[in-house]
Amino acid sequence: MKRSRLNDKLNKSAKHNRLTLISASAGYGKTTLVSDWLACCNRSTAWLSLDEGDNDPARFFQYLFAAWQRMVINEEQIVGQLDIVHCPPLPSIELLIPTLIHKMTAATEDCIVVLDDYHVIQSETIHRAVATLLERMPNHVHVIIISREEPLLPLSRLRARGQITEIRGSDLRFIYSEAAEFLEHTMGLHLSPEETALLETRTEGWIVGMQLAALSIKNNKDAAGLVLSFTGSDRFVIDYLLEEVLRRQPANVQLFLMRTSILDRLCGFLCEAVMHSGDGKPSGQDDSGQTMLEYLERSNLFIVPLDNERRWYRYHHLFADLLRQRLRRHLIATSQNMNQSVAELHLRASEWYENHSFEIEAFHHAVAANHIEHAARLLVGNGMPLLFRGAAAPALTWLDSLSHTQLNGQPALWVLYASALLMIGRVSEVESKLKAAEQVIQLAGKNEANQDLLGHIASIRATIAVSKHEAETIIIESHRALELASLDNLAVRTAATWSLGYAYQLQGDRAAASKAYMDALSSSQKIGHVIITIMSSLGLGMLQECENQLNMAAQTYQFVLKIAGETPLPAVCEVHLGLARICYEWNDLDTALQHVQISVQLAKQLENTDRAVAGEVFLAKLKLAQGDVSGAAATISRTEYVAGQYHFKHQLPHIAEMQVHVWIQQEHVTAAHTWSQKYNLPLSQARVHLAQGDTAAALAIVKAVIRKVEGTELKDERLKVFILLAIVLYAHGEQIKALEAIREALTMAEPHGFIRSFIDEGMWMNKLLGEASAHGIMPYYTAKLLAQFEDTDQIHSFPWNERQLDPLKVLIEPLTARELEVLHLIAQGLSNHEISNQLYIALPTVKGHNRVIFEKLQVKRRTEAVARARQLGLL
């Protein structure tokens, strides 16, 4: 049989290819083929049935991630729950795809991802994402796309690579024997061989066409006449057959089908609520909703079960479209107000969803009913606005559709409009919405509700000030929010408490900031304010970093990522930047790079904020650590331009500090000196003096900084200063004091695993740690750091002015005449073999000279030896 051959084709494709494309017109049994095959192939499956609403990228990926998660944790047994995931707004595709691929890679067995009815997808963003997924997903994952149309994917490339199997309508259409078996055994229709052959010919093997024809013919005395009159090529055949199917159903079934067609998903109790006429009984039928759904399934009336328990269903899309058309015709024919009647059905669905705690679905139906008051009430929520619980995107879509008159009717909608815009990063549009709300409130006069709204407005303005690092504005607006918001408005009061914490952090009052963050976190968790839970936890993680508690901070950041979900808010960019800093400090540069790239991509979704610049500054630091000095220079130059163009003053000192590091590496000491003075960066000034060889000036600056941080709680600053102090003392020739300083730094750093803070100081720290180890100073930790030095590709040194360096004082042991001769030939680019021939010495002897030269110059490779020799004036 053909079905067996198709199953073999699917088995082979799943084993060897990335994609199986099943493309044919409606009704060719595409979904049934895959469903039956999956039932026998014993592979884990994530199935996503798509509809028009899934063109929203946020919704598409929410359902895709949910489908994958159900497959992983086997939640199919959970009875009565909708297959809907409530997540914050959608981040960039560059973030989503690596996240999904990471989850796929973590799977331990072969998996199938099915995208059913993919033809409804028109979004270019989703097409690009799926194409990227096909390109990068692991080999043990196979994708099946079921579509009525050719999907807008790079199929030609997949064909050229032999990575796709295609099943078309010609593969799916029934031949005579399959048509005969289907009509007799599945549909219970007994036709003569001639009638079967004619029906198969007229339908051209179209499965649903035969199913519809069989439903029309069944129990009709003139079956032969209907077969003869049926024409598969007639463009009205679908409408004709569906009309025949519906007309032959009892009146109560027809009414049930039409009224419940407004639902994307159906369960018995929901259907009963929609059918309810208001008199306490379901309207037009005596059976329960579940009984009716089971009848429809038994009758093959185009209903698809969504779970194994047969509790949730959906209608075949084509059938649902027809039912909605029939509903409109029925209402017109019965002289009913069509819009009003359909709206009433949506409102019944909305009320049922709301009563069963599916507020987002309730909101969707209230919007479909065009019932502004009901939708607004759901959006405002009972003390917790719906947009704070994962509905920012649909809320914003609805609010965008409202007129100014409608928004003015309920000033709370203006405020929520501003809040939703702020959540998804459209910061520039927020203030106009707040001013519109204030105008309406001013005209309405003072009352308790309007005063509460003014408190919410102040809280939003405080949050905008947070993005600009304006501590005074944050404090003013936050206190105003706490003064105006009602005591019951815990959402606004919690947000204001969090924003105060950030203001205290900006002012350096870490204790006050920590208390505010803890209060906001406790309150947000009690009331379910996920966004403030995220932001206050983020603030605590940043403070833990400042306390040098890297392990604790990393755990806090991971907690934030967990509660943020698979499609996090753009503000979570700060979490990834924090993890990038920690991974960098632990010398896990690859992971640090992954986090900073995600951070920058998320930050670019935020308008008028410097978060992307902050990520780029760190990226420059990472490139410098990897030895890519030119790349670091280009990156920091770009960030300087962007910060200047958009007036990101808060980032200028950080940019200047990184720029000084780059210029020192490039030996542009004069420029580095100018910038360190311009931005009053004492530690950078000390580094410039070191680069100039003026160790006394460097030591004076560092000691002045030490006096400022001693006795404070600035543990992160104290560690930085003591590490630099140890280097300066060592360079200044005060070895004993240098060892005392490095002991202090190691004592502070060891419990938290600091590595890069030491490695980044280059060869002089390498030598100092060696002496510390020789003196028995924290031998385990110093051995660990020295081992990290050995694994580091490049060990940077300060490019001190060569005219002020005395090779006899700097070198452990001076080079011999022969070693200098070999060094000059190395600088000319000669190979070891060429040096051997020119000096008439054996090749092993040349290699021995190289080894000794490298040891004396304290380098590891030829290029470093030449650069170091030039610094010392040896070349």
Side-chain angles (χ1 to χ4, degrees):
M1 292 290 292
K2 180 175 293 186
R3 185 53 57 95
S4 177
R5 292 196 299 272
L6 289 176
N7 285 341
D8 291 340
K9 195 170 185 178
L10 286 168
N11 284 327
K12 184 177 180 181
S13 179
K15 184 176 181 180
H16 299 291
N17 294 340
R18 289 182 173 272
L19 171 66
T20 296
L21 172 62
I22 304 177
S23 179
S25 300
Y28 270 94
K30 303 182 292 294
T31 300
T32 302
L33 169 67
V34 177
S35 179
D36 291 347
W37 173 71
L38 288 173
C40 303
C41 76
N42 297 322
R43 291 174 183 254
S44 298
T45 304
W47 186 295
L48 185 60
S49 296
L50 302 168
D51 58 35
E52 295 289 345
D54 295 327
N55 273 289
D56 176 8
R59 178 169 167 174
F60 179 92
F61 280 103
Q62 285 168 358
Y63 287 164
L64 181 56
F65 275 108
W68 183 270
Q69 195 69 10
R70 283 198 312 276
M71 178 192 71
V72 173
I73 65 177
N74 193 24
E75 286 187 340
E76 289 83 353
Q77 72 272 18
I78 298 179
V79 176
Q81 289 193 4
L82 285 176
D83 183 16
I84 295 176
V85 176
H86 306 303
C87 293
L90 177 74
S92 66
I93 297 304
E94 289 79 5
L95 169 65
L96 279 170
I97 294 303
T99 304
L100 181 56
I101 291 173
H102 174 74
K103 286 189 170 293
M104 289 179 169
T105 304
T108 58
E109 57 184 17
D110 292 344
C111 304
I112 303 292
V113 176
V114 180
L115 302 179
D116 194 8
D117 287 337
Y118 191 81
H119 54 271
V120 302
I121 299 299
Q122 303 297 323
S123 167
E124 292 184 4
T125 300
I126 295 177
H127 289 317
R128 290 198 308 271
V130 173
T132 303
L133 178 63
L134 291 171
E135 183 77 20
R136 301 179 185 175
M137 67 185 187
N139 292 332
H140 62 266
V141 178
H142 183 75
V143 173
I144 298 177
I145 290 180
I146 304 172
S147 178
R148 297 180 192 174
E149 303 171 358
E150 190 89 342
L152 296 177
L153 297 172
L155 301 180
S156 58
R157 186 166 67 229
L158 293 170
R159 292 182 187 116
R161 296 176 179 175
Q163 295 177 339
I164 181 174
T165 295
E166 298 176 70
I167 297 176
R168 302 288 180 173
S170 58
D171 301 308
L172 293 166
R173 68 178 299 271
F174 277 172
I175 59 177
Y176 170 80
S177 58
E178 292 167 330
E181 181 179 1
F182 172 79
L183 292 170
E184 182 168 356
H185 296 290
T186 303
M187 301 304 299
L189 189 62
H190 304 288
L191 299 177
S192 67
E194 293 78 11
E195 291 169 343
T196 299
L198 180 59
L199 193 56
E200 187 271 329
T201 301
R202 294 287 174 85
T203 60
E204 300 181 15
W206 182 45
I207 301 171
V208 165
M210 280 187 283
Q211 182 182 20
L212 294 170
L215 289 170
S216 298
I217 296 168
K218 202 170 185 179
N219 301 322
N220 191 297
K221 295 180 179 179
D222 189 17
L226 286 177
V227 172
L228 289 171
S229 64
F230 176 75
T231 251
S233 60
D234 190 336
R235 65 188 182 92
F236 298 109
V237 65
I238 298 175
D239 288 341
Y240 170 78
L241 290 175
L242 287 176
E243 291 286 353
E244 285 295 305
V245 171
L246 283 177
R247 187 168 59 83
R248 292 180 181 278
Q249 296 300 317
N252 67 320
V253 175
Q254 291 189 46
L255 192 61
F256 181 93
L257 290 168
M258 288 187 292
R259 290 187 175 181
T260 58
S261 67
I262 65 139
L263 301 170
D264 292 328
R265 290 167 174 78
L266 310 98
C267 74
F269 293 119
L270 174 58
C271 291
E272 289 175 12
V274 171
M275 294 295 296
H276 202 284
S277 63
D279 59 359
K281 296 180 180 180
S283 174
Q285 59 107 2
D286 297 327
D287 297 320
S288 72
Q290 183 64 30
T291 301
M292 182 63 75
L293 291 173
E294 292 173 358
Y295 164 78
L296 296 178
E297 185 179 12
R298 287 195 305 272
S299 301
N300 294 315
L301 281 175
F302 309 104
I303 190 169
V304 180
L306 297 177
D307 55 43
N308 294 332
E309 291 78 20
R310 296 301 199 269
R311 293 179 180 271
W312 286 96
Y313 295 83
R314 70 166 175 85
Y315 290 126
H316 187 286
H317 299 315
L318 186 63
F319 192 51
D321 290 341
L322 174 79
L323 291 175
R324 292 174 190 131
Q325 293 174 13
R326 287 282 300 176
L327 175 62
R328 290 191 290 270
R329 293 179 187 176
H330 171 74
L331 294 173
I332 293 172
T334 55
S335 301
Q336 300 181 53
N337 185 310
M338 182 180 67
N339 292 333
Q340 181 179 346
S341 298
V342 173
E344 184 180 348
L345 296 176
H346 280 292
L347 279 177
R348 293 175 188 172
S350 179
E351 291 170 0
W352 186 90
Y353 276 124
E354 183 181 6
N355 292 335
H356 289 79
S357 300
F358 294 113
E359 289 87 356
I360 294 180
E361 292 72 31
F363 173 73
H364 284 309
H365 279 284
V367 169
N370 197 29
H371 199 300
I372 295 176
E373 292 77 12
H374 188 58
R377 180 177 60 78
L378 288 165
L379 189 60
V380 172
N382 185 19
M384 178 60 61
L386 196 60
L387 55 91
F388 295 151
R389 289 177 281 163
L396 192 55
T397 299
W398 178 61
L399 291 166
D400 279 334
S401 72
L402 299 181
S403 67
H404 278 226
T405 301
Q406 291 170 321
L407 291 166
N408 288 338
Q410 297 194 53
L413 294 181
W414 278 119
V415 179
L416 292 177
Y417 202 169
S419 187
L421 289 167
L422 182 60
M423 286 177 60
I424 67 168
R426 287 163 57 182
V427 183
S428 62
E429 303 175 52
V430 173
E431 184 60 29
S432 64
K433 307 300 183 290
L434 297 180
K435 288 181 178 179
E438 288 174 327
Q439 290 175 0
V440 177
I441 291 171
Q442 185 177 7
L443 292 173
K446 289 185 178 180
N447 57 51
E448 184 177 345
N450 285 343
Q451 179 172 296
D452 194 50
L453 285 178
L454 291 174
H456 195 168
I457 290 171
S459 175
I460 292 172
R461 287 194 170 121
T463 304
I464 294 174
V466 165
S467 69
K468 299 177 180 179
H469 316 292
E470 297 172 346
E472 293 183 4
T473 304
I474 297 170
I475 291 174
I476 292 172
E477 295 293 346
S478 297
H479 282 302
R480 176 174 166 79
L482 292 171
E483 177 185 348
L484 294 174
S486 68
L487 296 178
D488 294 333
N489 194 343
L490 297 179
V492 168
R493 302 185 71 84
T494 301
T497 303
W498 160 76
S499 56
L500 277 174
Y502 189 76
Y504 298 145
Q505 185 177 349
L506 287 175
Q507 293 177 332
D509 190 346
R510 295 178 180 177
S514 179
K515 183 179 184 306
Y517 286 147
M518 288 297 295
D519 290 344
L521 177 61
S522 175
S523 178
S524 65
Q525 289 178 323
K526 288 179 182 178
I527 64 178
H529 199 323
V530 177
I531 293 172
I532 297 302
T533 298
I534 289 172
M535 300 310 296
S536 54
S537 298
L538 169 60
L540 289 172
M542 296 172 68
L543 291 178
Q544 289 160 354
E545 271 195 89
C546 293
E547 293 293 304
N548 294 335
Q549 297 174 347
L550 301 187
N551 286 290
M552 187 178 295
Q555 292 175 6
T556 301
Y557 290 145
Q558 291 294 347
F559 166 75
V560 174
L561 292 182
K562 181 179 179 180
I563 61 176
E566 302 294 353
T567 53
L569 292 165
V572 176
C573 65
E574 201 68 36
V575 178
H576 285 286
L577 185 56
L579 286 169
R581 290 191 298 265
I582 293 172
C583 291
Y584 176 89
E585 189 57 58
W586 289 340
N587 206 26
D588 185 356
L589 303 188
D590 291 339
T591 305
L593 177 60
Q594 293 173 11
H595 280 296
V596 73
Q597 288 174 336
I598 294 173
S599 176
V600 171
Q601 289 297 331
L602 277 173
K604 287 180 178 178
Q605 299 178 43
L606 297 167
E607 295 178 345
N608 301 331
T609 68
D610 61 2
R611 295 299 81 203
V613 170
E616 294 281 359
V617 172
F618 178 82
L619 187 59
K621 181 177 183 178
L622 186 59
K623 289 182 178 181
L624 197 62
Q626 295 171 328
D628 184 6
V629 180
S630 60
T635 300
I636 206 65
S637 177
R638 181 172 64 251
T639 59
E640 179 195 351
Y641 171 77
V642 174
Q645 185 179 27
Y646 293 96
H647 308 291
F648 293 150
K649 296 180 180 179
H650 185 75
Q651 286 302 318
L652 293 179
H654 304 292
I655 293 171
E657 182 181 12
M658 197 65 243
Q659 181 69 82
V660 169
H661 277 280
V662 171
W663 274 334
I664 289 176
Q665 287 295 325
Q666 293 178 323
E667 301 187 39
H668 301 324
V669 182
T670 301
H673 175 76
T674 301
W675 271 55
S676 64
Q677 294 286 341
K678 177 181 178 180
Y679 290 97
N680 190 26
L681 304 171
L683 296 186
S684 295
Q685 293 172 23
R687 293 185 183 281
V688 171
H689 287 307
L690 276 177
Q692 294 172 329
D694 189 353
T695 57
L699 186 57
I701 292 175
V702 175
K703 286 183 176 180
V705 177
I706 288 277
R707 288 192 291 271
K708 290 183 179 180
V709 301
E710 284 289 11
T712 70
E713 296 299 320
L714 305 178
K715 294 182 180 180
D716 52 340
E717 296 299 324
R718 194 166 182 270
L719 176 59
K720 292 178 185 176
V721 175
F722 267 88
I723 289 175
L724 185 56
L725 175 64
I727 294 297
V728 173
L729 287 169
Y730 187 74
H732 195 59
E734 299 187 28
Q735 181 179 354
I736 295 177
K737 291 184 178 180
L739 290 173
E740 292 174 354
I742 199 63
R743 182 195 296 273
E744 181 73 16
L746 291 169
T747 301
M748 287 187 280
E750 190 273 339
H752 313 292
F754 281 82
I755 295 175
R756 284 304 317 188
S757 289
F758 296 93
I759 292 179
D760 288 347
E761 300 299 340
M763 68 171 67
W764 301 107
M765 177 59 74
N766 189 15
K767 181 171 175 55
L768 178 56
L769 287 173
E771 295 198 19
S773 179
H775 283 78
I777 297 175
M778 302 186 69
Y780 175 79
Y781 191 31
T782 53
K784 178 181 178 180
L785 292 173
L786 289 169
Q788 294 288 335
F789 270 107
E790 293 178 4
D791 293 337
T792 303
D793 290 337
Q794 293 191 355
I795 300 179
H796 303 296
S797 62
F798 294 117
W800 296 352
N801 190 304
E802 61 187 49
R803 291 174 297 176
Q804 295 177 312
L805 290 177
D806 184 352
L808 297 178
K809 293 181 180 180
V810 175
L811 292 179
I812 299 174
E813 182 181 350
L815 299 178
T816 65
R818 174 61 86 180
E819 289 164 355
L820 284 170
E821 190 175 15
V822 171
L823 179 60
H824 277 82
L825 295 177
I826 290 174
Q828 295 173 25
L830 273 65
S831 66
N832 288 340
H833 186 74
E834 290 170 336
I835 295 172
S836 173
N837 292 336
Q838 184 159 331
L839 297 180
Y840 300 100
I841 57 178
L843 184 59
T845 303
V846 175
K847 293 180 179 179
H849 284 311
N850 287 348
R851 184 175 64 255
V852 174
I853 291 170
F854 291 177
E855 290 175 351
K856 290 182 178 181
L857 294 177
Q858 300 181 44
V859 297
K860 289 190 173 183
R861 50 180 60 84
R862 281 168 158 253
T863 54
E864 294 174 10
V866 172
R868 183 66 177 144
R870 284 175 177 156
Q871 290 176 358
L872 296 172
L874 298 175
L875 293 175

